Amino acid sequence: MTSSSQNQAPPLSGERGELLQALAEQRELFLITLRGLTDEQGARRTTVSELTLGGILRHLASGERVWTQILVKGDGELPDGMLDMEQYRMGAGDTIEGLLRQYAAAAEATADAVAGLPDLDRTVPLPVTPWSPPEPVHWSARRILLHLIKETAQHAGHADIIRESLDGASSTAQR
């Protein structure tokens, strides 16, 4: 997943294309924080937070896969890995390159899923989690896409702070 591959015009027009483009732009901002990063740097904590750049990358790839599965299956079942707290850590066998490939695959799966929907008004039940309200919750495909945009933007901000603390690199200066 490179900046050039993420900044291409979406294959879909209208609202779907615009939402996928907004998500691609947030991914691109996040990916700037990973430029030139070694695996060791990706696993290093630079703040009091447990978050690392590699951990955020792993989480975003996992999160996008999970939300796409929720959207596609539409069965309300809890996807594997959704509650796995290790998704926030760069594992001993993980590499930045490998995690980037996983993230690119998740992005492609999201685009394919959205392209295959009859419309963005399709609703699906959300899985029951420890933080779920007692009554069933349904989200539209649109809301799931907006959630992915929000999550990616939030973590891009976290990543920017971590990268600046790591070596002074600023995503704003690297655009």
Side-chain angles (χ1 to χ4, degrees):
M1 177 179 292
T2 63
S3 294
S4 60
S5 70
Q6 286 305 299
N7 205 24
Q8 295 173 356
L12 300 172
S13 61
E15 184 182 18
R16 287 181 218 221
E18 289 176 10
L19 289 171
L20 287 173
Q21 181 64 35
L23 180 54
E25 289 167 1
Q26 292 307 312
R27 285 189 203 112
E28 183 176 356
L29 290 173
F30 167 65
L31 291 173
I32 290 171
T33 67
L34 303 174
R35 286 185 189 159
L37 200 67
T38 67
D39 294 336
E40 178 187 65
Q41 289 172 314
R44 187 178 310 149
R45 286 180 51 202
T46 63
T47 68
V48 296
S49 169
E50 293 288 326
L51 291 175
T52 65
L53 291 168
I56 293 172
L57 175 57
R58 187 174 181 203
H59 166 63
L60 285 175
S62 174
E64 194 155 333
R65 273 193 312 272
V66 162
W67 281 103
T68 299
Q69 183 179 342
I70 290 167
L71 179 63
V72 170
K73 284 192 169 183
D75 59 8
E77 294 298 316
L78 189 70
D80 286 340
M82 185 170 186
L83 302 181
D84 178 11
M85 297 312 289
E86 290 302 309
Q87 70 177 293
Y88 293 94
R89 291 176 180 72
M90 188 170 169
D94 289 334
T95 64
I96 294 296
E97 184 179 321
L99 291 170
L100 284 169
R101 282 193 302 271
Q102 290 177 30
Y103 195 35
E108 186 175 337
T110 298
D112 290 346
V114 171
L117 294 173
D119 59 57
L120 294 178
D121 292 327
R122 176 179 188 258
T123 61
V124 295
L126 298 189
V128 175
T129 61
W131 54 86
S132 295
E135 67 280 348
V137 176
H138 290 75
W139 278 9
S140 69
R142 179 181 299 102
R143 175 123 184 229
I144 289 172
L145 281 172
L146 290 169
H147 178 75
L148 286 172
I149 292 166
K150 176 192 73 72
E151 280 286 307
T152 305
Q154 178 181 11
H155 289 306
H158 295 145
D160 202 28
I161 291 168
I162 293 168
R163 182 62 190 256
E164 279 194 52
S165 298
L166 180 67
D167 63 5
S170 164
S171 61
T172 303
Q174 293 186 51
R175 279 186 160 181

